[in-house]
Amino acid sequence: MPVEAVTCSETNRSHIRVTQACNSKCMFCLTDFHGSKFSHPPAELVMREIEKARLLGVERVIFSGGEPTINPSFLDAINYASDQGFEITLKTQRKR
C-alpha cells in the first residue's frame, strides 16, 4: 500500500496518511475505513515521506489516517519526525 502524502510549501506542512484503517464506525464518516481490507503502508515508505518533507524545508508534519495510532509503526514515525526537528500534529479520534 502506498503512503498518501501532500506537502504544501506555502503552509510549510506535510500531511501524511499512515493508514486507511480505522477502529470506529462513525455514522458521519463517508468512507468505510473499518475492516480487514485495509493495510498499513510499510514503515520505510512513511519514513521516506518524512525525509522528503525535511528536504523541502517543511516545519510541521501532520499524521492522519483512518486512525493513525493503530498502525504498528506509528510511534517509530512520530519519533523519527521528532528527531528530524518537525513540529507534529496528530489527527485522531482518540480511541484505540
Side-chain angles (χ1 to χ4, degrees):
M1 171 185 173
V3 176
E4 294 177 30
V6 176
T7 299
C8 180
S9 58
E10 291 178 13
T11 61
N12 230 2
R13 298 178 184 166
S14 183
H15 186 243
I16 302 173
R17 187 175 187 180
V18 296
T19 188
Q20 290 183 341
C22 185
N23 55 346
S24 289
K25 296 178 182 175
C26 301
M27 58 192 290
F28 56 82
C29 189
L30 299 175
T31 306
D32 180 15
F33 286 127
H34 55 278
S36 60
K37 64 182 175 179
F38 295 107
S39 61
H40 311 294
E44 302 81 39
L45 294 180
V46 175
M47 303 308 178
R48 191 175 305 151
E49 291 300 328
I50 294 168
E51 181 64 19
K52 285 181 190 176
R54 187 187 66 76
L55 293 172
L56 291 170
V58 168
E59 294 177 1
R60 178 181 301 266
V61 173
I62 303 166
F63 291 102
S64 70
E67 173 51 43
T69 62
I70 62 176
N71 181 325
S73 63
F74 171 71
L75 288 179
D76 294 333
I78 291 285
N79 289 330
Y80 183 70
S82 178
D83 290 346
Q84 297 295 314
F86 287 106
E87 296 176 30
I88 297 169
T89 299
L90 176 61
K91 291 188 176 182
T92 176
Q93 35 79 348
R94 299 176 55 197
K95 178 182 172 185
R96 187 165 184 199

